[in-house]
Amino acid sequence: MKIIIVGAGKVGLALAQSLSREHSVTVIDQNPRLVEHTVNVYDVMGVCGNGASAEVLKEADAGRTELLIATAPSDELNILICLVAKYLGVEYTIARIRHPEYGEQLRYMRSTLGLSMAINPERATAREIARVLRYPNAMKVESFSKGRLELVEYRLDPGSTLDGMRLSSLQKSLKAKVLICAVARNEETIIPSGDFVLQVGDTIYITASAHELEQFFRHLGVFKSKASSVMIVGASKLCYYLGAQLLDMGMTVKIIEQDTERSTHMSELLPRALVITGDGADSELLREEGLDQTDGFVSITGMDEANILMSLSVARQNPNCKVITKINRQPLVDLVAGAGLIGSVVSTGSVTTELILQYVLAMQNASGAQIKTLHRLIGGKVEALEFGIHPDSPLIGVPLRELKLRPGVLLAGIVRQSGKIVIPSGSDAINAGDDVIVVATSTLHDIRDILR
């Protein structure tokens, strides 16, 4: 496809990097240095100018473009860019819209203004953090088939029962129907077979139902129930969405913000939360506010370094507390996640990019299956995709042992129309109407791509 990306910020650059591998991409930004950098680093075209200008969009060949993605800093500018693009003939438009006041209007905007997709990065990131707080054992949690099947990221610490265990004996040993579908070991990414042996330090990716995951962690002796009290540092838009979700889940929420005006505003937006004006980096303040009795700690200020330092301090003070850190810069994400210093790391840019890539993949679908969900694992080296199986798919009814899968591909789960979860074995087969979860080291566009 021909794709235009307006805005060469973190999200725009991440999209350019991912989409330029298979599509013709043009990036528009008003900063000439950013445009030059993007063109030099990625295989894309660049146009310097205002993306809301019809002349600039024409220069980017908008009339022959299938998709435009607006990731400029302003919500209003993104909406205007998409309106002009639709007028010029762009078929699909995606706008990043961040302001909470626009949240209730997104459905109206999509239908009336012709937006194909309106994405709120902070709301999406809040959902990801809330999922992790439901499973404090996990570093990251992703959902498939409307939450029926979960994929969790978990690190093997010293003394783990899993150290030295062969995957073929996993279910028998732990009496839980789970599947380890990917492993990150040092710099290596592995789609494991039954002969694979786990080691301390491995980061593993597990698919199972919520109930089976609970049994899995119970048998490991590390199960923790969902957080009941959460402390959030940083009264941002993300804080508002996260606090509202956690309160609706029945958790008690304490918010710490250094700026008096912002803390007052947040207390008005979330009257059921306790908002404290103070420095979240002050360990004495955190202790006074009950850090020792807190189940979850989330640092989401606008400074990556401050978030990292606060999280490291809290992890040392309260080892039983689930610590989640927002980090925007990818090199810092790689450094912290790779070292295993902090429980969980989230990136608003990564969440946004993943959702948009999921939409782009869905646009490319062949008729045999529909990509419903996409999650990228291990820094984007592995993709976990959920395919909805249509009645005409050639894979229906074939025992899985007879399918000749491409290298680096694993069937990680099947969800029947009835809601039944199947952890695949060789005798199982795919049925029409199933949701099939596939983990692969290469990009797949259709369920048939799993075959050699």
Side-chain angles (χ1 to χ4, degrees):
M1 288 191 297
K2 285 179 66 66
I3 300 173
I4 294 175
I5 300 170
V6 182
K10 294 184 181 69
V11 172
L13 289 178
L15 288 169
Q17 180 181 12
S18 297
L19 295 174
S20 61
R21 297 168 188 161
E22 298 187 22
H23 306 283
S24 173
V25 175
T26 301
V27 174
I28 300 175
D29 197 279
Q30 296 193 72
N31 186 326
R33 284 184 297 177
L34 273 178
V35 173
E36 183 180 5
H37 168 77
T38 308
V39 170
N40 290 337
V41 174
Y42 309 112
D43 186 19
V44 300
M45 301 291 289
V47 174
C48 186
N50 181 356
S53 163
E55 293 305 314
V56 171
L57 289 175
K58 287 177 182 176
E59 185 180 347
D61 203 15
R64 295 192 298 167
T65 295
E66 289 93 338
L67 172 66
L68 179 138
I69 306 168
T71 64
S74 162
D75 291 351
E76 294 80 7
L77 182 58
N78 287 333
I79 295 169
L80 179 59
I81 290 167
C82 290
L83 280 172
V84 177
K86 290 291 285 187
Y87 172 76
L88 293 175
V90 176
E91 186 173 1
Y92 300 99
T93 58
I94 299 174
R96 180 176 63 180
I97 300 175
R98 311 173 71 175
H99 202 287
E101 290 183 1
Y102 294 142
E104 300 303 318
Q105 304 175 40
L106 291 183
R107 182 175 299 177
Y108 160 78
M109 289 179 181
R110 285 196 295 268
S111 59
T112 305
L113 303 181
L115 290 178
S116 307
M117 180 184 186
I119 183 168
N120 187 319
E122 282 73 21
R123 187 193 289 270
T125 306
R127 282 198 298 266
E128 179 162 323
I129 295 173
R131 281 200 301 266
V132 173
L133 288 169
R134 282 176 50 221
Y135 295 98
N137 299 93
M139 297 164 60
K140 190 175 182 180
V141 182
E142 309 287 10
S143 293
F144 297 96
S145 193
K146 299 180 180 178
R148 295 186 183 96
L149 189 75
E150 309 277 9
L151 187 153
V152 303
E153 179 181 340
Y154 178 71
R155 182 182 292 112
L156 272 62
D157 294 324
S160 172
T161 307
L162 297 176
D163 183 27
M165 183 176 291
R166 192 177 300 274
L167 293 190
S168 57
S169 61
L170 183 68
Q171 289 191 21
K172 184 178 180 181
S173 300
L174 297 179
K175 299 180 176 61
K177 295 179 181 178
V178 302
L179 178 71
I180 295 179
C181 56
V183 179
R185 176 177 291 174
N186 300 322
E187 299 299 317
E188 191 177 4
T189 300
I190 303 158
I191 303 296
S193 65
D195 294 331
F196 186 82
V197 178
L198 297 169
Q199 295 179 5
V200 165
D202 287 349
T203 298
I204 61 175
Y205 295 82
I206 313 158
T207 54
S209 67
H211 172 72
E212 294 295 340
L213 279 172
E214 180 178 329
Q215 295 305 310
F216 173 76
F217 287 122
R218 285 189 186 279
H219 285 300
L220 283 183
V222 296
F223 175 74
K224 296 178 183 177
S225 57
K226 77 173 185 179
S228 59
S229 57
V230 179
M231 189 177 289
I232 304 172
V233 179
S236 58
K237 293 185 183 76
L238 173 55
C239 173
Y240 165 73
Y241 290 117
L242 177 60
Q245 285 193 42
L246 298 183
L247 290 166
D248 289 342
M249 291 167 65
M251 301 182 188
T252 59
V253 176
K254 210 172 269 188
I255 299 167
I256 298 175
E257 169 58 50
Q258 199 165 10
D259 184 274
T260 304
E261 185 177 341
R262 293 176 70 176
S263 63
T264 302
H265 181 59
M266 190 58 64
S267 65
E268 294 169 353
L269 291 174
L270 297 174
R272 291 188 291 156
L274 176 60
V275 183
I276 299 151
T277 303
D279 185 0
D282 185 344
S283 57
E284 187 60 36
L285 171 65
L286 298 184
R287 224 179 344 260
E288 289 175 2
E289 294 302 330
L291 178 63
D292 293 342
Q293 290 78 46
T294 297
D295 300 320
F297 179 87
V298 186
S299 54
I300 52 175
T301 72
M303 296 182 61
D304 290 348
E305 293 82 358
N307 290 337
I308 293 169
L309 291 173
M310 280 188 285
S311 296
L312 290 172
S313 175
V314 169
R316 187 175 63 251
Q317 291 181 66
N318 184 357
N320 295 318
C321 180
K322 177 64 180 181
V323 177
I324 303 173
T325 308
K326 179 175 77 82
I327 304 176
N328 287 324
R329 281 182 284 167
Q330 192 58 44
L332 285 177
V333 173
D334 297 338
L335 177 64
V336 172
L341 300 173
I342 296 171
S344 297
V345 175
V346 296
S347 165
T348 303
S350 296
V351 171
T352 307
T353 304
E354 190 171 287
L355 288 171
I356 294 174
L357 289 176
Q358 177 178 322
Y359 182 87
V360 174
L361 272 174
M363 289 174 59
Q364 299 173 255
N365 282 345
S367 59
Q370 174 191 2
I371 296 177
K372 293 184 173 182
T373 311
L374 163 71
H375 297 299
R376 296 189 300 169
L377 316 175
I378 318 178
K381 297 176 183 176
V382 174
E383 290 184 351
L385 303 101
E386 175 188 348
F387 291 95
I389 304 301
H390 290 184
D392 57 352
S393 173
L395 303 184
I396 289 174
V398 181
L400 298 185
R401 68 167 66 91
E402 297 180 15
L403 297 178
K404 296 181 179 180
L405 301 182
R406 288 167 53 180
V409 170
L410 180 70
L411 297 183
I414 300 172
V415 182
R416 304 294 191 197
Q417 278 188 306
S418 63
K420 179 183 177 183
I421 305 295
V422 177
I423 299 300
S425 65
S427 58
D428 292 309
I430 295 170
N431 299 332
D434 284 351
D435 291 334
V436 177
I437 289 79
V438 179
V439 174
T441 53
S442 56
T443 298
L444 307 176
H445 297 114
D446 188 272
I447 189 67
R448 290 171 292 190
D449 292 342
I450 68 175
L451 302 177
R452 292 181 183 176

